[in-house]
Amino acid sequence: KTAPPPPPAATVLSPATVSLPAGRAAFVPQKVFCPLHMRPIDWLSFLAPPGRDPDALFDAAAAALRDLHFFPPAADAAAYDALLRHHDDFCGTLSGGQLIKFELARQLFAPLALGTPCPALLFLDESFAPLDPPAKRNLQHLIRLRCPRTIVLVIHHADAQSADDDRPSACVEAAGFFSDVAHFRRPPPPDGADRDAPRQGVLELTRVGTCEQRRA
């Protein structure tokens, strides 16, 4: 039986919470934490099942980075050998897109290569923003290919049309990845109020759908 669609608009009266057993959710934040003075392979394999052979850990990490196009296509073995060396600040040398790929390899794709099951929920906070279009399409393809049953929640800050109208100015293309889009906003301040002050009050939630849904 198909559940009825949600209403076109709703009000969020309290902060939403999601409760899951430990290990069943993965969260990639906007600001990725990456330790200093470490070997990249140690951080990449931090979530791996215990007792794994070091060669298996390296192969899983290298395969994950390769699938994500972390290194240039012409990268040789020396690039991957850098994962085994100590660095003062390895992540500080990475671009924003490389850092997201590194974190997704650590949290999702390297553990998958070692037999860890997909998370039930995957939260991506602006994770697509630093990626160029080919890298974004590749990441979306890999997530759907490797974890087709995982629910993926993506936070994306759409551009506003004006200071008084913060509805999203452009819809999101489904591209075989997104199934729906919701827009959160706080009500605009009343007339005469300071428009630069932080907005108060409950959030308004509107289901806007994907571009394909809006064109249908």
Side-chain angles (χ1 to χ4, degrees), residues 25-32 99-101 103-108 122-127 153 155:
F27 174 66
V28 179
Q30 286 191 51
K31 295 184 178 180
V32 174
L99 189 57
I100 289 296
K101 294 176 183 179
E103 180 65 9
L104 279 161
R106 184 185 77 88
Q107 286 206 46
L108 185 63
L122 174 61
F123 295 88
L124 302 177
D125 187 358
E126 290 283 342
S127 298
L153 302 178
I155 297 175

Side-chain angles (χ1 to χ4, degrees), residues 192-205:
D194 182 4
R195 293 186 173 273
D196 295 327
R199 294 190 184 184
Q200 304 297 323
V202 297
L203 286 171
E204 294 177 354
L205 167 62

Side-chain angles (χ1 to χ4, degrees), residues 68-84:
L68 288 165
H69 304 162
F70 179 82
F71 292 114
D76 56 15
Y80 291 91
D81 287 344
L83 302 175
L84 302 174

Side-chain angles (χ1 to χ4, degrees), residues 36-114:
L36 303 173
H37 311 294
M38 56 109 185
R39 298 191 313 161
I41 187 61
D42 294 332
W43 189 233
L44 282 168
S45 58
F46 185 78
L47 298 176
R52 290 303 182 104
D53 178 75
D55 289 339
L57 295 176
F58 177 81
D59 290 344
L65 294 177
R66 189 179 304 112
D67 289 343
L68 288 165
H69 304 162
F70 179 82
F71 292 114
D76 56 15
Y80 291 91
D81 287 344
L83 302 175
L84 302 174
R85 297 198 303 269
H86 282 272
H87 298 259
D88 290 337
D89 185 9
F90 177 78
C91 290
T93 66
L94 304 180
S95 67
Q98 283 180 308
L99 189 57
I100 289 296
K101 294 176 183 179
F102 188 80
E103 180 65 9
L104 279 161
R106 184 185 77 88
Q107 286 206 46
L108 185 63
F109 295 108
L112 286 176
L114 293 167

